[in-house]
Amino acid sequence: DSWEGTWILPSNHRELAWAVRQAAGGRLSLEVGAPDWVAVEQVEKQGMVLVHLVNYRLGDVLTDIPVDIRVDAGKKVGRVRVVSPDRPGEQELDFQFEGGRCSFRVPLLEVYDVVMVDLASG
């Protein structure tokens, strides 16, 4: 077996994550309640925040994933949607916006989802 090209979490990854969280004041700009095998990336582009979720355990479908995003001062959230090549169309998500943070739940992650958080001047 060759591990070439495979990235494996370091054995102390939980301690590293804790240290980063402490350095950030206890709360990161993006918090996702998903297992370690889900990769997460946040990108801000053209008036929206995009959250990419990639599930690296094929066949291990995840549901009801909590997400919490810090929104820049002076911005508010207009709507939150999720799209995926795993299913047709897009789905509107209920969200809460309070104290400069937007929280919602991703209902289903098979392999790949993109959550689009539309921002507006507040």
Side-chain angles (χ1 to χ4, degrees):
D1 290 334
S2 172
W3 292 98
E4 184 176 337
T6 302
W7 187 77
I8 298 172
L9 286 172
S11 61
N12 66 338
H13 71 277
R14 285 185 177 82
E15 290 84 4
L16 291 170
W18 179 85
V20 169
R21 184 178 309 283
Q22 293 308 304
R27 200 163 188 196
L28 301 175
S29 61
L30 173 63
E31 301 272 351
V32 178
D36 296 339
W37 60 84
V38 174
V40 178
E41 181 184 26
Q42 175 183 337
V43 178
E44 191 163 339
K45 186 175 185 177
Q46 300 174 347
M48 73 173 62
V49 175
L50 303 173
V51 178
H52 298 263
L53 302 168
V54 182
N55 181 358
Y56 280 95
R57 282 203 183 158
L58 293 177
D60 195 351
V61 176
L62 301 169
T63 58
D64 202 32
I65 302 167
V67 178
D68 182 85
I69 300 172
R70 184 185 70 225
V71 176
D72 290 338
K75 298 285 184 182
K76 64 180 183 178
V77 176
R79 67 182 181 154
V80 178
R81 302 167 284 150
V82 62
V83 295
S84 173
D86 301 325
R87 55 194 171 277
E90 69 180 33
Q91 181 179 0
E92 291 270 340
L93 301 181
D94 292 331
F95 67 91
Q96 292 76 44
F97 182 63
E98 185 179 321
R101 298 198 69 97
C102 177
S103 59
F104 52 90
R105 291 185 173 274
V106 176
L108 179 70
L109 175 61
E110 293 176 58
V111 178
Y112 178 61
D113 282 359
V114 178
V115 179
M116 299 171 288
V117 179
D118 294 331
L119 302 176
S121 296

